[in-house]
Amino acid sequence: DDAGAAEHFGRAAQLNPDFPQAALKAAQAEDLFALALVRAGALGQALPHFAAAVHLEPTNPLYQRHLAQARAALPATTVGPASFP
């Protein structure tokens, strides 16, 4: 399944920091895992993973868009200044 694959891929990249482009692969794994959570109806749980993808690869417009869309989709009472770094 998507969530399991993304989680395992992210762990592998974290366990081997010398792996070429490990941060890029970890960012991709975070984004894919977050998308799987969204598909499973767990938007609130996906948000930190979208944020992690942007943190790991801040110039990737796709990850930025996914994070923005997730933030916009959450109820206003869920999203506040304390929720984000």
Side-chain angles (χ1 to χ4, degrees), residues 1-7 28-47 49-50 66:
D1 68 59
D2 289 343
E7 184 176 355
Q28 182 182 28
E30 291 284 358
D31 190 66
L32 290 172
F33 183 58
L35 289 171
L37 288 169
V38 169
R39 284 192 291 266
L43 179 60
Q45 292 176 12
L47 192 63
H49 296 283
F50 284 131
H66 287 166

Side-chain angles (χ1 to χ4, degrees), residues 2-83:
D2 289 343
E7 184 176 355
H8 288 293
F9 191 80
R11 284 187 195 161
Q14 289 173 350
L15 290 174
N16 187 0
D18 295 326
F19 186 77
Q21 302 179 356
L24 298 178
K25 300 297 183 185
Q28 182 182 28
E30 291 284 358
D31 190 66
L32 290 172
F33 183 58
L35 289 171
L37 288 169
V38 169
R39 284 192 291 266
L43 179 60
Q45 292 176 12
L47 192 63
H49 296 283
F50 284 131
V54 170
H55 176 76
L56 290 167
E57 196 176 339
T59 60
N60 187 307
L62 177 64
Y63 302 159
Q64 292 172 0
R65 186 176 81 229
H66 287 166
L67 177 59
Q69 288 172 333
R71 286 178 173 170
L74 285 173
T77 57
T78 307
V79 180
S83 302

